[in-house]
Amino acid sequence: MRFLGVLLAVLALAGCVSRTGGPVAESSSPATETETSTSGTDETVVDDDGCEFVGKPDEDAPVGLPPTEPLGGDRVLLSTSSGEIGLQLTPDETPCTVRSFLHLVSEGFFDGTECHRLTASAGLKVLQCGDPSGDGTGGPGYTIPDELPTDLADAPTGQGTKVYPRGVLAMANAGPETGGSQFFMVYGDSTLPPDYTVFGGVDGTGLATLDAIAARGLTPTLGPEDGTPTTPVEIESAATA
């Protein structure tokens, strides 16, 4: 997935990062796959909100496509090895992304996965998670439509970049309409192209947890300020709250 060039700078952030992209490229670090995963599908589902979820037959699919009926809830609690992170979702503004995210939470998709990317540059400060393979290349076996932000402030750097402010929760990707399961949480104002869906925010407790993770530093693998958390961060469980 793609973070942004910047991200790529910021994440090739494929995850922040590559599929996840730029900072969020969905994948720069692969998500860890489980032995119980099944082959992907070329099936397409259009739900009650008009959201189109497209199966990826070339990708292992630990879960099926999201259901067409509505999923309740707008808050998720991530219990991690570094502390709790509360997420407030925005189903009214980004129904497709939230529908998929809640589906993955309900299926236990995120449980036992590691947050594989941490960036600490002046323009990109994010923690990226949601890859079952743990290396930035994994996903849920399907893609979700983009629901891109239109109200972010312009970044001082110009060139069409925007400020993704501290506390934002957004999807990583590897390009248009390639989002899947990788997401990133912004712990410091970051500069990116408006190519990443913002589907919620991180609460105060969660930001304190992110600050603590960032303070422990990172092991550079993608650049001097881009790599993996020095202390591994595992999502032990994700549940609606």
Side-chain angles (χ1 to χ4, degrees):
M1 310 280 219
R2 93 183 195 268
F3 273 106
L4 320 178
V6 187
L7 229 197
L8 160 230
V10 8
L11 280 171
L13 217 210
C16 242
V17 189
S18 127
R19 166 193 188 141
T20 310
V24 197
E26 219 177 58
S27 185
S28 309
S29 319
T32 57
E33 298 177 357
T34 66
E35 294 182 357
T36 57
S37 63
T38 57
S39 176
T41 173
D42 57 4
E43 178 184 3
T44 295
V45 164
V46 178
D47 72 10
D48 296 343
D49 292 312
C51 305
E52 184 175 45
F53 303 108
V54 182
K56 299 184 66 177
D58 60 340
E59 181 175 281
D60 283 347
V63 297
L65 299 182
T68 56
E69 62 275 6
L71 292 171
D74 62 1
R75 183 171 172 77
V76 167
L77 180 65
L78 303 180
S79 296
T80 81
S81 55
S82 294
E84 293 189 340
I85 301 176
L87 305 176
Q88 182 65 52
L89 310 182
T90 55
D92 292 338
E93 292 80 7
T94 54
C96 303
T97 305
V98 171
R99 173 78 60 95
S100 173
F101 194 75
L102 290 175
H103 167 61
L104 296 175
V105 167
S106 69
E107 293 292 329
F109 179 88
F110 298 118
D111 299 356
T113 61
E114 288 194 3
C115 294
H116 61 275
R117 190 163 197 176
L118 178 66
T119 65
S121 68
L124 185 64
K125 298 180 185 298
V126 306
L127 177 68
Q128 187 170 321
C129 313
D131 177 2
S133 64
D135 60 6
T137 62
Y142 64 85
T143 60
I144 64 177
D146 292 333
E147 296 173 291
L148 302 180
T150 59
D151 58 353
L152 296 175
D154 292 336
T157 50
Q159 300 182 321
T161 57
K162 301 291 183 178
V163 175
Y164 278 64
R166 171 177 166 83
V168 154
L169 169 67
M171 290 299 298
N173 63 62
E177 313 295 340
T178 61
S181 60
Q182 292 186 46
F183 62 94
F184 61 100
M185 297 169 284
V186 182
Y187 66 89
D189 290 359
S190 298
T191 300
L192 295 167
D195 298 338
Y196 306 93
T197 297
V198 173
F199 67 105
V202 182
D203 67 10
T205 297
L207 284 173
T209 297
L210 292 179
D211 290 341
I213 291 170
R216 291 196 289 269
L218 59 83
T219 299
T221 56
L222 299 171
E225 299 172 308
D226 189 352
T228 58
T230 298
T231 301
V233 179
E234 178 183 323
I235 297 177
E236 297 170 340
S237 67
T240 55

